[in-house]
Amino acid sequence: MKNVKYIVILLILMVTTGLMNVSAQDSIDFGGYVRNYTGILFNNLQDGTSDNDFASVQNTFDLKADYSGDRADLHAEGYVYADGDTTLSAGIRELYFDLYSDSLDLRIGKQQIIWGKGDGVFITDVVSPKDMSKFIIPDFDEIRLGVTALKADYYLGNFALEGVWIPVFTPNILPAQDSLWAVSMDFPTGVEPSISTSLPSTTLENSEGFAKVSYMGSAFDFELMGGTMFDDAPTGHVTPVNLASTPKLVDVTKEYQRLLMGGGSFSTEIAGVVMKGEGAYYSGKAFNMSPDALLADLGSGGDGTIEKDAIHYMAGADYVIAGVNLGVQFIQEYILDYDSKINNDEFNSTMTFLTAKKFMDDSLELKFFGYYGLNNEDALLRFSAGYSVTEGMLLTAGVDIFIGDTGYFGQYDANDLGYIQAKYSF
Amino acid sequence: MKELKRITLSVFLITCTTVLVSAQSITGLDVMKNVYNRPTGPAITSEMTMTLTNSRGSTRERTIRQYLKKYGDDEKKIMFFTSPADVKNTSFMDWSYGDSGKDDDMWIYLPALKKVKRISSENKSDYFMGSDFTYDDLGDRKPEDDTHRIIGEETINGKDCYVIESTPKDKNSMYSKTITWVVKNSWVGTKKEFYDEDGDLLKTLTIHSVDKVNGYWVILDMEMENVQKNHTTRLQFKDVQIGKSINDNFFTERQMKKGVR
């Protein structure tokens, strides 16, 4: 309710202030797209089950409106998703107001804030939370959620200083428990959890703040950033209810851990190869314990979580050869002062691979993006072919293949899917 | 009478010598340096329409707003794609350097990712946005990168031209040679042929329209035809402004994200 009030107030402010600046030269620019996405689960086809052959049929209408004034802009982007024949959902992707001066920009409202140099990974890109309800299958501009924030950018030559204040915490959207992409916490055999979620209250001390210094130059680009924030993904804090009963009853409260983050990223070109790196240090990150360690921890008054510092980093390279874009990244998460009771591995390593080439006046693009998890030897392989039929009309066909039994990607081994998508941009 | 003959002979010899010296004093490199160094103004803005026509006659059109500013031998350029809708708000920035040993710096902003990415300058022989122009074709190729010689003089559309054959010094170049028709005095190229690695004609660039803007010669309409693929790309420029002040802060990540304003 508070969010609704906030948005209404913001809307009134934006419209009022915007109208005050309207001049004859100002204009509103509309754009957006209409899209049909039809995905088919290969597993269901093989099983011959009829009801769930189509994993996803979704029609989308996305509308953007931009009002450009002399020193001010308004931007609004809304969407309507029609999933199957029954579910209709609508929302605001972004709604913000820009104020410009010679060296200072202010952006107020719901906005996506993107940091970092990595592709397809979130290391320092921690300001905007993510919609993980369909894992990482949707486009990234749809995975990223807008946050209601005040953002200020001060520019000095090729340097930029950015400050972000987020008064209201927005968490990641997690997959529904009946979803193909549901992720469940690991519990020991014989334990029945009752799960609830606790969001931080909307107080000043619970607001989030971020700062970033960035530089773009001939030799290299870099970003240095830090933040006091909540982890956008929750940790399950366990309270025993009756451990003597059968099954053992526990309450699990998903809480969002307050933590500090500091990091940086860079990119430079060496002999035609774009080298890039990104790293972040998280202080006070909470981890869940493994099922084997949980009951003993509860018995000694613990809540099934352990707080540790962690490092998350990436090193990568992009190259173009004969018109083929190639990219490779090595990503690693490292939990410092590791405790073997933690459910996560001490080191978790992933590699990504990109190959893309355009043909026929750039109207046809063949693309492959793959993730390979080194710990569990699991993978997500994404192949697509996109053909621009006419100006603005794009047809895409692709397959997403999950490999492995466990791990971040392997857990979805049954979710291999193929899809076709028609998208008209206007 | 003898004196008159002597004077006449002297004038004839001096004239012949002057003509010979004059003809020999300009080399292919000189001509191409004149083209390269032709004043183009300290800053240029324009709107470019790029029309691609394939062998079946179907066309695709893209419009780009571009800004260029010179810093001595270096220059910075930023291009904003304004249509079609699926590439709208994409921007591309290129910083190029007079020092032939220094590669360009290039970045692209993709609105869907909301991120500016540094991209490799090794793709200069790749085709720009599916057109018949490579990134290299669209830039100012440095005269020192090729060996030049004058192979003739011709008149095209009533204009006297030098015909210059240029052979890349880089053996890995995608062209074995180019032949350029350069209008005398104005030092504007009016036609150019590009030959592939086998020495066969690959592309022909024809300049359809050149005009003076604020005292500077500017190409307003040109067409590249890939004769091997029967594919053409036409670039037409309008709203060309030279000398309009562009702030140095324009060529930054801030502007790439902000777009045309």
Side-chain angles (χ1 to χ4, degrees):
Chain A
M1 192 62 193
K2 276 185 178 173
N3 281 347
V4 175
K5 273 186 188 170
Y6 188 80
I7 290 169
V8 170
I9 292 167
L10 192 65
L11 263 173
I12 294 167
L13 280 173
M14 290 166 77
V15 171
T16 310
T17 318
L19 286 174
M20 287 165 63
N21 287 318
V22 170
S23 72
Q25 293 176 343
D26 301 329
S27 61
I28 297 177
D29 185 26
F30 288 98
Y33 60 85
V34 179
R35 181 185 64 194
N36 170 268
Y37 173 96
T38 303
I40 299 168
L41 272 181
F42 294 142
N43 224 32
N44 282 356
L45 282 179
Q46 287 169 0
D47 291 344
T49 52
S50 56
D51 291 346
N52 297 314
D53 281 353
F54 292 102
S56 174
V57 177
Q58 185 181 70
N59 294 302
T60 308
F61 177 60
D62 182 287
L63 180 66
K64 295 174 199 167
D66 285 283
Y67 159 77
S68 296
D70 184 28
R71 291 270 182 184
D73 285 354
L74 291 170
H75 173 81
E77 181 175 0
Y79 61 86
V80 178
Y81 290 130
D83 286 288
D85 293 330
T86 54
T87 311
L88 199 66
S89 58
I92 295 171
R93 215 180 294 288
E94 290 189 299
L95 179 61
Y96 58 76
F97 176 40
D98 280 329
L99 274 175
Y100 302 122
S101 70
D102 290 341
S103 54
L104 181 69
D105 295 345
L106 289 176
R107 177 167 291 178
I108 307 162
K110 188 172 183 179
Q111 54 191 294
Q112 293 181 1
I113 298 171
I114 316 300
W115 286 0
K117 305 288 184 193
D119 292 326
V121 292
F122 307 102
I123 298 173
T124 62
D125 188 9
V126 292
V127 183
S128 281
K130 286 88 196 166
D131 180 353
M132 302 298 287
S133 57
K134 291 178 181 172
F135 193 47
I136 52 172
I137 298 302
D139 293 339
F140 267 58
D141 59 336
E142 293 176 79
I143 287 180
R144 289 194 175 93
L145 297 169
V147 285
T148 302
L150 168 63
K151 181 164 77 78
D153 289 275
Y154 179 75
Y155 301 95
L156 189 65
N158 290 329
F159 284 91
L161 175 63
E162 183 169 295
V164 180
W165 178 56
I166 303 175
V168 181
F169 170 67
T170 306
N172 285 353
I173 296 175
L174 301 175
Q177 283 308 305
D178 59 349
S179 148
L180 290 169
W181 310 103
V183 180
S184 55
M185 276 180 66
D186 293 332
F187 287 98
T189 309
V191 171
E192 188 174 300
S194 171
I195 298 174
S196 61
T197 301
S198 170
L199 280 171
S201 56
T202 307
T203 59
L204 183 61
E205 56 268 27
N206 277 347
S207 60
E208 297 178 289
F210 299 87
K212 181 182 76 165
V213 178
S214 60
Y215 169 81
M216 174 188 267
S218 175
F220 55 85
D221 311 323
F222 74 78
E223 295 176 338
L224 292 172
M225 64 280 278
T228 170
M229 54 184 270
F230 285 99
D231 196 338
D232 290 335
T235 314
H237 293 254
V238 184
T239 309
V241 176
N242 187 352
L243 295 180
S245 66
T246 305
K248 297 179 174 67
L249 301 176
V250 296
D251 282 341
V252 179
T253 307
K254 289 184 176 177
E255 295 179 18
Y256 297 87
Q257 179 78 3
R258 187 81 191 186
L259 47 84
L260 294 171
M261 184 278 288
S265 64
F266 77 93
S267 64
T268 186
E269 184 178 354
I270 301 171
V273 180
V274 175
M275 309 295 294
K276 58 189 180 181
E278 185 173 345
Y281 185 97
Y282 304 98
S283 175
K285 193 172 170 66
F287 295 92
N288 275 116
M289 286 187 179
S290 65
D292 294 342
L294 179 62
L295 290 176
D297 187 63
L298 294 179
S300 60
D303 68 351
T305 67
I306 299 179
E307 200 174 294
K308 294 288 179 186
D309 294 351
I311 298 173
H312 194 182
Y313 65 92
M314 174 281 295
D318 294 328
Y319 188 61
V320 181
I321 184 166
V324 181
N325 286 295
L326 301 168
V328 62
Q329 299 180 126
F330 173 76
I331 303 130
Q332 191 166 67
E333 295 173 80
Y334 170 44
I335 302 171
L336 281 77
D337 187 25
Y338 185 73
D339 187 324
S340 59
K341 295 177 193 148
I342 295 174
N343 203 27
N344 306 56
D345 290 339
E346 182 178 11
F347 291 92
N348 187 22
S349 307
T350 307
M351 293 196 74
T352 70
F353 302 91
L354 165 73
T355 307
K357 180 166 174 62
K358 291 182 176 179
F359 303 87
M360 301 165 62
D361 302 350
D362 280 8
S363 58
L364 173 66
E365 182 181 38
L366 301 182
K367 186 175 179 181
F368 163 73
F369 194 91
Y371 296 87
Y372 176 65
L374 276 70
N375 288 40
N376 298 291
E377 297 185 336
D378 59 337
L380 167 58
L381 310 178
R382 311 192 70 183
F383 301 88
S384 67
Y387 178 60
S388 175
V389 183
T390 60
E391 308 293 13
M393 183 72 199
L394 180 69
L395 290 181
T396 306
V399 291
D400 296 327
I401 307 294
F402 293 90
I403 295 172
D405 300 318
T406 57
Y408 193 58
F409 309 105
Q411 64 182 323
Y412 299 123
D413 188 36
N415 289 6
D416 295 348
L417 59 92
Y419 65 90
I420 52 172
Q421 177 177 283
K423 181 177 179 181
Y424 178 70
S425 302
F426 56 90
Chain B
M1 190 59 188
K2 264 189 176 177
E3 187 62 17
L4 184 61
K5 272 187 180 175
R6 197 175 64 81
I7 291 170
T8 306
L9 182 62
S10 297
V11 169
F12 176 74
L13 284 172
I14 289 167
T15 305
C16 286
T17 307
T18 305
V19 167
L20 280 170
V21 168
S22 172
Q24 289 174 352
S25 63
I26 191 155
T27 65
L29 179 61
D30 292 334
V31 172
M32 297 313 282
K33 278 186 173 175
N34 287 339
V35 173
Y36 184 77
N37 294 320
R38 188 186 79 240
T40 52
I44 307 171
T45 66
S46 64
E47 185 174 316
M48 179 173 83
T49 301
M50 182 166 77
T51 308
L52 315 180
T53 306
N54 67 16
S55 56
R56 298 184 306 278
S58 65
T59 62
R60 289 172 185 269
E61 192 172 284
R62 290 181 173 142
T63 55
I64 297 164
R65 185 84 202 163
Q66 55 182 8
Y67 299 77
L68 184 149
K69 188 171 184 178
K70 288 187 176 293
Y71 298 83
D73 289 340
D74 302 341
E75 68 179 35
K76 294 181 178 180
K77 180 161 71 174
I78 189 163
M79 305 170 91
F80 301 101
F81 293 80
T82 52
S83 74
D86 51 356
V87 296
K88 189 178 177 182
N89 296 327
T90 300
S91 58
F92 170 79
M93 185 161 72
D94 182 6
W95 295 358
S96 61
Y97 305 96
D99 177 359
S100 56
K102 186 168 168 56
D103 290 332
D104 289 11
D105 294 303
M106 296 179 179
W107 296 267
I108 191 164
Y109 172 68
L110 300 167
L113 297 178
K114 291 184 167 60
K115 197 185 269 190
V116 173
K117 281 189 69 172
R118 182 183 283 266
I119 56 174
S120 171
S121 61
E122 281 292 293
N123 63 353
K124 293 202 86 174
S125 57
D126 290 342
Y127 289 99
F128 175 73
M129 296 290 288
S131 75
D132 296 290
F133 290 87
T134 64
Y135 287 87
D136 213 10
D137 296 339
L138 289 168
D140 285 338
R141 188 172 172 84
K142 299 174 183 82
E144 297 78 16
D145 291 345
D146 302 310
T147 303
H148 308 277
R149 67 187 184 101
I150 299 175
I151 60 172
E153 296 183 20
E154 290 180 17
T155 300
I156 293 185
N157 296 329
K159 292 173 182 166
D160 294 333
C161 300
Y162 289 113
V163 185
I164 311 295
E165 182 185 85
S166 306
T167 307
K169 291 176 182 171
D170 180 1
K171 299 300 176 196
N172 295 320
S173 170
M174 68 179 296
Y175 305 125
S176 58
K177 67 176 180 182
T178 58
I179 297 176
T180 312
W181 282 255
V182 178
V183 178
K184 293 179 180 178
N185 303 320
S186 71
W187 308 115
V188 177
T190 192
K191 182 182 169 187
K192 189 168 187 171
E193 292 177 344
F194 301 78
Y195 291 81
D196 66 16
E197 290 167 329
D198 298 327
D200 297 325
L201 180 62
L202 175 65
K203 301 188 297 188
T204 301
L205 175 67
T206 306
I207 309 301
H208 292 301
S209 172
V210 178
D211 204 355
K212 270 199 166 180
V213 177
N214 279 12
Y216 298 100
W217 287 108
V218 178
I219 295 170
L220 298 176
D221 188 353
M222 60 180 165
E223 188 170 29
M224 183 77 91
E225 179 184 11
N226 186 319
V227 297
Q228 294 183 5
K229 291 183 177 174
N230 192 21
H231 190 283
T232 63
T233 301
R234 188 159 189 166
L235 302 183
Q236 293 165 294
F237 300 85
K238 64 181 183 182
D239 191 22
V240 178
Q241 297 182 51
I242 297 181
K244 182 181 172 185
S245 173
I246 306 176
N247 194 311
D248 289 344
N249 292 336
F250 195 83
F251 300 94
T252 57
E253 181 175 356
R254 178 193 195 189
Q255 199 64 46
M256 290 183 78
K257 288 179 175 176
K258 197 181 285 186
V260 185
R261 290 184 47 82

